[in-house]
Amino acid sequence: MVRDSYIYDYVRTPFGRYGQSLADTRPDDLAALVLGELARRHPELSLEAIDDVILGAANGAGEDNRNVARMGSLLAGFPTSVPGTTVNRLCGSGMEATIQASRAIESGDARVVLSGGVESMSRAPWVMQKPRKGFPAADAILHSTTIGWRMSNPAMDPHWTVPLGETAEILADRYGISRDEQDEFAVRSHQRATAAWTNGTFRKQIVAVPGTVLSVDEGIRPNTTLDTLRGLKPVFKIGGSVTAGNSSPLTDGAAALLIAGEDADLGDPIARIVSRGVAANDPDIFGIAPVKAANRALARAGLTWADVDFVELNEAFAAQALSCIRLWDGLDPDKLNVDGGAIAMGHPLGASGARIIGQLARKLEANGGGIGVAAICIGVGQGLAVVLER
């Protein structure tokens, strides 16, 4: 018998900029913090009753220690009987983790699952290929694991392995998105995120990171204006339009959700997970993959964009987000990212998918009900989407 899955709670850290306030905090400690906070908020939940912990992480090469979900659970003081697994769908990892949690609940394989994601882009290590034999005579190359391609297969189509920022330039050219449009979108993201923090929208969502003074998302710049953004130079293409100001910054952070069925005795749920969608396209235009993913999720729910009240789309780049808006037939752009997005808050890869699902659920709660869509683009040409209802 298929059951419904629900979001009962959501928590995250403030997101810290690369190399700044959270740079001294290990990713497994960030994971432990949000998992432990969910447990603290729900004393009625026996820790032994947690059937699984599923976290997303895009790296895994360093202090994530391959399976940061298990490491974080142990560090949070969970019983050793609580399993944990880590999934990697790059930028969509936190959403993939929550999708897998919802499927486990709906299939009856689990009753309570903690999902989410974590990333410390500041602490991502450098890696190198193993030499064929000891004491090689040639120089060794260190590759950064912070973001993007490394050690790519030479057989891969070179059009697919262009840097992520160049893919945003491709979309800007393809869909006629001007520099001013991108900068205006970025300004809106900062303004809306600033307003959300000021009016207490995120108060229920945030847990402070011990040993830091970070109380808000570090990437938000309340004084951002169109004039200041116009002064920035393109960084990915000579004469291009994509700048550091209209792109999401490298970020550290973690987010977690409590997922269960309606019989879990955890109080009133925030929102129901209605449907999911996954899609893929050419890697060099990965930014528009959420379009098909969200359309599929809505179709599976028997809904259209006219039924949707709020949309959370991860803002990897303004050009990417604006391309999706162009292609979603029937979407009201004013319903998208009403409390700001990743251009302001930041994009800790493994955590972002969980952040936008949780933020959407809380928005539906504050609204007293409605339908929402959370969608995210994923490097190498994939997209994920989830439909929520309250």
Side-chain angles (χ1 to χ4, degrees), residues 35-348:
L35 293 174
E37 177 65 10
L38 283 180
R40 187 194 67 79
R41 292 184 180 196
H42 295 273
E44 73 278 13
L45 174 62
S46 168
L47 295 180
E48 288 79 4
I50 299 172
D51 293 299
D52 209 353
V53 175
I54 309 174
L55 295 184
N59 199 321
E63 294 163 338
D64 320 73
N65 210 1
R66 293 188 174 92
N67 188 0
V68 72
R70 178 63 171 169
M71 307 306 167
S73 299
L74 295 174
L75 289 166
F78 289 7
T80 57
S81 60
V82 176
T85 188
T86 302
V87 299
N88 187 346
R89 204 190 281 266
L90 299 181
C91 307
S93 297
M95 185 175 289
E96 176 66 26
T98 303
I99 285 173
Q100 292 193 22
S102 68
R103 287 173 178 153
I105 299 298
E106 292 168 18
S107 68
D109 286 347
R111 186 168 175 266
V112 177
V113 180
L114 305 190
S115 71
V118 61
E119 207 76 48
S120 175
M121 301 180 81
S122 295
R123 299 180 72 85
W126 290 280
V127 298
M128 60 180 287
Q129 290 181 314
K130 285 185 177 179
R132 292 183 178 179
K133 58 183 180 179
F135 307 108
D139 293 334
I141 298 174
L142 288 176
H143 302 266
S144 172
T145 65
T146 299
I147 192 172
W149 294 90
R150 62 234 182 208
M151 296 181 281
S152 54
N153 194 311
M156 189 76 74
D157 187 330
H159 289 98
W160 293 348
T161 59
V162 296
L164 300 180
E166 288 187 27
T167 70
E169 292 282 9
I170 291 171
L171 292 178
D173 290 342
R174 176 174 293 194
Y175 297 107
I177 299 168
S178 69
R179 167 71 182 270
D180 273 355
E181 284 181 280
Q182 294 173 58
D183 288 346
E184 288 166 3
F185 185 88
V187 169
R188 188 189 80 164
S189 185
H190 284 280
Q191 290 175 341
R192 290 186 169 187
T194 299
W197 274 102
T198 301
N199 64 28
T201 296
F202 298 145
R203 189 175 296 118
K204 284 185 179 180
Q205 306 176 16
I206 301 299
V207 56
V209 179
T212 74
V213 295
L214 187 63
S215 58
V216 300
D217 296 314
E218 200 166 20
I220 299 174
R221 301 191 184 281
N223 298 322
T224 299
T225 66
L226 198 54
D227 284 340
T228 58
L229 292 187
R230 282 172 173 162
L232 300 176
K233 295 181 179 180
V235 292
F236 301 106
K237 175 183 173 183
I238 296 175
S241 58
V242 179
T243 70
N246 56 41
S247 307
S248 60
L250 304 181
T251 322
D252 310 323
L257 301 105
L258 175 57
I259 312 294
E262 58 187 337
D263 58 346
D265 298 325
L266 294 170
D268 295 328
I270 306 172
R272 179 171 72 93
I273 298 174
V274 180
S275 62
R276 301 150 290 253
V278 61
N281 54 20
D282 288 353
D284 58 343
I285 52 170
F286 79 91
I288 58 170
V291 174
K292 187 179 291 185
N295 288 343
R296 286 176 174 172
L298 282 170
R300 286 168 183 158
L303 301 168
T304 69
W305 285 108
D307 301 307
V308 175
D309 299 289
F310 299 103
V311 179
E312 287 291 335
L313 172 66
N314 195 54
E315 302 166 356
F317 301 92
Q320 158 263 321
L322 289 165
S323 296
C324 291
I325 292 170
R326 291 262 210 284
L327 295 170
W328 271 323
D329 187 22
L331 169 67
D332 179 354
D334 289 335
K335 297 178 178 179
L336 186 139
N337 296 357
V338 296
D339 292 321
I343 288 175
M345 299 177 198
H347 178 20

